[in-house]
Amino acid sequence: MPERRAKLSRGVSASSLRERLSSLSSTPLKPVAASLQANIEFVPSKVPTKRRIQTLAVFTWSSTMFICCALFLYLCSFPPLWPVLATYMFWVLVIDKSPVTGGRSSQWFRGMRFWRYFSEYYPASFVKEQDLPADRPYVFGYHPHGIIGMGALATFATDATGFSKEFPGITPHLLTLETNFRTPFYRDILMWMGICSVSKDSCQNILGQGSGSAITIVVGGAAESLSARPGTADLTLRKRLGFIKVAIREGADLVPVFSFGENDIYQQMPNQKGTSVHALQKKFQNVFGFTLPLFHGRGLLNYNLGLLPYRRRIVSVIGRPIHVNRSANPTMEEVTRVQKLYIQELERIWNKYKDEFAKTRLREMKIIE
């Protein structure tokens, strides 16, 4: 046994062993690193200043929630501020009901130059098909949801695309999950933009303010975001009747809005029904009330790796209003009748503009649920 150990030790020297280990550890990494670097398309050094500002605006908005959370935690590190912060949180969680009573929209904030840079990044715009008289309330149904709904934000939560000029007298309120209004500071920014809770009470309170009041509901919600992929328009709409019932109860005209390009600004990993990824996402949605799409876009300094949206044109076509007869207790027959008219108008918009704004589509618009 000692002789065998001696032979083994003489057969492989220490220096030779180090060389072999070094070659084994370094050889596979070189092509991987080179491949990764080759696949990332970096932003060139010479880019127009305006485009850089546009990208910075989108990056800032995409990071706003995290910035607000970080700021609040930072302020919590100063004990003298604890009474102020505690009072603020008590106000947020217990007293302030603004998210369900119409918010506190600021026209100055909605019209800031920052939002113009934000919308010009894609660019985002809208097509107006018909005048909307400001003598009645409106419910705008926005499709598709996309990953985040950047087109809805640009058109209905800011004045960057000129909504107030094209539809004078109408005050839009984009609606979102009530949980977003529990985030310190972020909730105040949302309300300055006119964004409110999507709860039933919020819809009734806003539309109950009378002529010119309007809400925008991204109808497909979290479920539809799981189907958002470039070149497709798969809508979750068939069983979504709540927004139609709200419109009938409040006597608000329904206005379908189809946003071409909303699904094109992010790539999403495969998550078809039956896969473990889809099952996990649906379970997450059932527990937390929202879903978690696994997606990617571009980065701040590159064009194909990151969480910023791609520069893809978004055009929201605001269709013709569907007049409804007000009823405190609408029958299912009436709701179904209005839904049929709504879907027909949505299909008309798609068929009219698809060859202009969806040239790279992979398939036609489809209602999957």
Side-chain angles (χ1 to χ4, degrees):
M1 185 66 73
E3 289 182 9
R4 188 177 179 186
R5 284 185 187 146
K7 287 180 181 179
L8 286 172
S9 64
R10 286 195 298 269
V12 181
S13 65
S15 60
S16 175
L17 184 61
R18 281 197 298 268
E19 288 176 3
R20 292 186 185 182
L21 290 173
S22 176
S23 65
L24 286 172
S25 62
S26 61
T27 301
L29 293 178
K30 289 181 180 178
V32 171
S35 176
L36 182 61
Q37 188 173 5
N39 290 332
I40 297 178
E41 185 181 355
F42 289 98
V43 175
S45 57
K46 293 184 179 180
V47 174
T49 303
K50 187 175 182 179
R51 287 177 67 88
R52 291 188 183 276
I53 296 175
Q54 291 167 356
T55 304
L56 184 60
V58 173
F59 172 78
T60 301
W61 170 251
S62 301
S63 309
T64 299
M65 178 181 283
F66 303 102
I67 293 172
C68 289
C69 290
L71 176 60
F72 182 78
L73 293 175
Y74 174 72
L75 294 177
C76 286
S77 66
F78 297 96
L81 294 178
W82 288 356
V84 177
L85 296 176
T87 303
Y88 172 74
M89 290 307 299
F90 182 78
W91 164 265
V92 167
L93 299 175
V94 180
I95 300 177
D96 189 22
K97 303 300 180 183
S98 297
V100 297
T101 58
R104 37 179 175 268
S105 176
S106 168
Q107 192 59 34
W108 172 83
F109 190 80
R110 288 167 52 89
M112 286 176 61
R113 180 62 186 169
F114 173 87
W115 300 117
R116 295 185 191 176
Y117 285 122
F118 173 88
S119 66
E120 289 169 356
Y121 169 86
Y122 304 96
S125 61
F126 69 84
V127 172
K128 170 187 173 181
E129 284 216 314
Q130 187 172 315
D131 288 334
L132 300 178
D135 60 353
R136 69 200 69 175
Y138 292 93
V139 174
F140 294 91
Y142 186 91
H143 313 267
H145 182 284
I147 297 294
I148 299 178
M150 293 295 194
L153 186 84
T155 299
F156 295 100
T158 79
D159 205 28
T161 57
F163 186 93
S164 63
K165 181 180 178 181
E166 294 296 327
F167 300 102
I170 296 177
T171 306
H173 295 273
L174 181 63
L175 305 186
T176 187
L177 294 175
E178 193 167 352
T179 52
N180 287 322
F181 296 96
R182 297 172 188 168
T183 305
F185 308 141
Y186 181 67
R187 69 187 302 274
D188 300 293
I189 295 174
L190 293 181
M191 284 191 285
W192 292 339
M193 298 169 70
I195 299 177
C196 294
S197 168
V198 74
S199 67
K200 179 181 177 181
D201 289 341
S202 176
C203 295
Q204 292 175 343
N205 290 333
I206 295 171
L207 296 176
Q209 293 175 2
S211 301
S213 58
I215 59 175
T216 302
I217 300 176
V218 185
V219 178
E224 191 174 272
S225 67
L226 299 181
S227 305
R229 289 184 179 81
T232 67
D234 297 340
L235 307 184
T236 300
L237 176 59
R238 194 74 64 184
K239 297 179 181 179
R240 301 298 172 106
L241 302 175
F243 75 107
I244 296 177
K245 292 178 181 177
V246 167
I248 296 175
R249 290 192 185 108
E250 302 300 324
D253 282 6
L254 272 168
V255 185
V257 180
F258 191 92
S259 190
F260 293 88
E262 185 67 72
N263 281 350
D264 299 337
I265 60 176
Y266 282 109
Q267 289 281 356
Q268 186 170 186
M269 72 174 292
N271 63 340
Q272 287 76 14
K273 286 185 177 180
T275 63
S276 56
V277 173
H278 185 270
L280 183 63
Q281 289 174 325
K282 295 299 290 185
K283 188 172 293 185
F284 186 94
Q285 179 186 345
N286 293 334
V287 174
F288 295 100
F290 62 95
T291 190
L292 195 64
L294 301 177
F295 63 92
H296 77 87
R298 57 161 291 183
L300 196 59
L301 300 176
N302 72 81
Y303 290 128
N304 56 356
L305 183 63
L307 296 179
L308 290 183
Y310 294 114
R311 280 182 181 265
R312 306 272 169 78
R313 182 173 65 159
I314 301 175
V315 182
S316 301
V317 179
I318 302 176
R320 301 168 183 168
I322 299 168
H323 182 69
V324 300
N325 297 317
R326 186 169 188 172
S327 173
N329 296 296
T331 63
M332 184 54 66
E333 182 182 358
E334 175 65 10
V335 172
T336 304
R337 184 189 70 81
V338 174
Q339 184 195 49
K340 184 178 180 180
L341 295 174
Y342 184 90
I343 292 176
Q344 287 175 354
E345 174 63 12
L346 207 56
E347 290 173 340
R348 184 196 65 79
I349 294 173
W350 169 262
N351 290 325
K352 180 178 179 179
Y353 294 97
K354 63 182 181 181
D355 291 332
E356 182 178 359
F357 301 134
K359 295 179 181 179
T360 59
R361 64 188 182 277
L362 302 178
R363 55 178 180 263
E364 298 299 304
M365 184 187 80
K366 181 171 61 175
I367 299 177
I368 57 176
E369 289 184 41

